[in-house]
């Protein structure tokens, strides 16, 4: 039972605790996987790693539920695992930085089924051994079921109370920076913005003031015209220091397991137009679409097909934008 409680508390912490350590762990796993260098590993992506982790996480849950519950078949333990997963997803709606996902419940349930199957096989094997010894001990299924219920309640309560204390990325916005670049904490002086924060094109932050002045003026002019159409155009990222760009690139290498794969989304400081002050990322979605339609009036063009938010001053005002490159890597 102690093991059961420990497993359920661990599940609660992993799924409802701060997302930071989990993200760090995932990066470490992906980096380790990337370091192995097998060709097929290059295609391992974050979603696949998460799905596997979500399956593995619930194997012990299924195994323990099956061992601890009275033996009435696999339905009840599987139902318990799936129910726990749904409770976790429900609780995640209250945790900043956590996104509930039905795919997680599916993966968790698969893990539970695996755990139940594993223990069923072990049980058959041990029963054969027991029959051989003719020494089957009496069982008290009622007491065991009560202990499982207590363990589940404890685990969920622990998870929920820790969730309440977690300062998520949104909660820490404007406070200490969370990203590190070149050994120092990134600040507004690097063009860094806290997660979820955006700038008006008219703000005086370094992310904007260190942009190429022609680009900055073009974005401001576009923003005025967008306002007239009822669209608020925000800048989600502008000029970035080399340290900031390097930190973004390092994160992407961790996430996509190789520098080559990372370049599909993020370039290093030597190549990035953001570091030269020659690119802005805009939002929200309606502003991206507005700019895709009207940007060329201001010389602003989307330069990468896979980044609908990324604009550079590519043509004269009123010119025709060239077709975007497939990705930053394909330029
Ligand atoms: Zn960009």
């Amino acid at each position: 039972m102690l093991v059961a409680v420990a497993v359920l508390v661990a599940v609660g912490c992993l799924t409802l605790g701060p997302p930071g350590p989990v993200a760090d762990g995932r990066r470490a796993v992906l980096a380790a996987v990337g370091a192995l260098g097998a060709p097929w590993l290059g295609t391992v992506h974050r979603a696949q790693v998460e799905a596997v982790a979500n399956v593995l996480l619930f194997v012990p849950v299924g195994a323990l539920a099956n061992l601890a519950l009275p033996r009435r078949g696999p339905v009840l333990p599987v139902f318990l695992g799936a129910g726990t997963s749904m409770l976790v997803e429900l609780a995640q709606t209250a945790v900043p930085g956590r996104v509930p996902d039905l795919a997680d419940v599916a993966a968790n349930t698969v893990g539970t089924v695996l755990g139940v199957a594993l223990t069923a096989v072990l049980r058959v094997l041990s029963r054969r051994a027991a029959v051989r010894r003719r020494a089957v001990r009496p069982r008290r299924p009622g007491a065991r079921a009560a202990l499982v219920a207590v363990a589940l309640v404890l685990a969920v309560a622990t998870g929920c109370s820790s969730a309440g204390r977690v300062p998520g990325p949104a909660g820490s916005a404007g406070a200490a920076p969370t990203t590190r670049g070149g050994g120092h904490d990134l600040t507004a002086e690097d063009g860094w913005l806290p997660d979820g924060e955006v700038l008006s094109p008219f703000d005086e932050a370094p992310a904007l003031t260190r942009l190429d002045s022609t680009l900055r003026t073009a974005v401001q002019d576009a923003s005025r015209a967008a306002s007239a159409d009822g669209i608020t155009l925000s800048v989600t990222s502008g000029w970035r220091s080399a340290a900031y760009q390097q930190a973004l690139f390092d994160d992407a290498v961790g996430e996509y397991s190789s520098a080559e794969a990372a370049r599909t989304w993020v370039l290093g400081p030597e190549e990035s137009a953001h570091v030269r002050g020659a690119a802005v990322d805009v939002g929200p979605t309606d502003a991206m679409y507005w700019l895709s339609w009207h940007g060329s009036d201001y010389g602003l063009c989307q330069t990468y097909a896979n980044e609908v938010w990324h604009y550079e001053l590519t043509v004269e005002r009123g010119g025709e934008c060239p077709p975007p490159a497939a990705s930053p890597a394909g330029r």
Side-chain angles (χ1 to χ4, degrees):
M1 280 323 295
L2 281 175
V3 175
V5 172
V7 164
L8 288 167
V9 168
V11 168
C13 292
L14 276 174
T15 54
L16 296 168
V22 178
D24 288 347
R26 184 174 54 218
R27 261 198 288 280
V29 168
L30 281 171
V33 164
L36 290 175
W40 61 271
L41 292 174
T43 61
V44 174
H45 287 294
R46 169 187 170 150
Q48 292 159 329
V49 172
E50 273 181 4
V52 171
N54 273 318
V55 170
L56 292 181
L57 187 65
F58 269 65
V59 169
V61 173
L64 286 161
N66 194 33
L67 284 177
L69 284 170
R71 295 172 197 184
R72 299 212 183 93
V75 177
L76 190 57
V78 170
F79 179 79
L80 259 178
T84 306
S85 175
M86 272 183 231
L87 278 177
V88 163
E89 296 300 316
L90 271 179
Q92 280 184 344
T93 58
V95 185
R98 289 285 191 177
V99 185
D101 187 351
L102 274 181
D104 293 352
V105 176
N108 292 160
T109 307
V110 169
T112 308
V113 170
L114 285 177
V116 170
L118 190 72
T119 43
V121 170
L122 288 176
R123 190 175 271 168
V124 168
L125 294 178
S126 78
R127 199 174 296 155
R128 281 191 193 151
V131 166
R132 250 180 266 130
R133 287 197 310 271
R134 292 162 192 276
V136 183
R137 277 180 295 155
R139 293 182 290 274
R140 289 174 298 148
R144 237 183 286 167
L147 278 168
V148 170
V150 169
L152 278 174
V153 169
L154 264 177
V156 171
T158 311
C160 292
S161 70
S162 69
R165 286 187 276 104
V166 172
S172 59
T178 52
T179 315
R180 297 192 132 257
H184 71 92
D185 283 332
L186 295 170
T187 66
E189 285 301 304
D190 293 288
W192 178 86
L193 287 177
D195 260 2
E197 229 168 75
V198 298
L199 294 169
S200 153
F202 304 95
D203 282 343
E204 290 293 323
L208 290 163
T209 56
R210 291 177 195 168
L211 283 176
D212 171 77
S213 64
T214 322
L215 170 63
R216 191 179 172 205
T217 308
V219 175
Q220 290 174 341
D221 290 348
S223 168
R224 282 193 201 92
S227 291
D229 287 348
I231 306 281
T232 305
L233 190 153
S234 300
V235 171
T236 57
S237 192
W239 169 85
R240 298 172 190 152
S241 71
Y244 180 17
Q245 189 69 32
Q246 187 68 51
L248 288 174
F249 185 69
D250 292 346
D251 279 358
V253 171
E255 185 132 334
Y256 298 103
S257 42
S258 77
E260 200 184 321
R263 286 181 75 255
T264 308
W265 294 101
V266 186
L267 295 173
E270 315 77 28
E271 294 184 283
S272 172
H274 284 281
V275 176
R276 296 198 305 274
V280 287
D281 295 344
V282 300
T285 312
D286 58 352
M288 293 176 203
Y289 288 125
W290 187 93
L291 207 54
S292 75
W293 198 250
H294 301 284
S296 63
D297 293 348
Y298 307 91
L300 296 167
C301 299
Q302 180 191 338
T303 47
Y304 308 128
N306 68 335
E307 295 189 5
V308 291
W309 51 84
H310 179 104
Y311 277 81
E312 297 180 29
L313 206 56
T314 314
V315 294
E316 293 294 317
R317 290 195 178 211
E320 198 181 324
C321 287
S327 76
R331 203 175 205 195

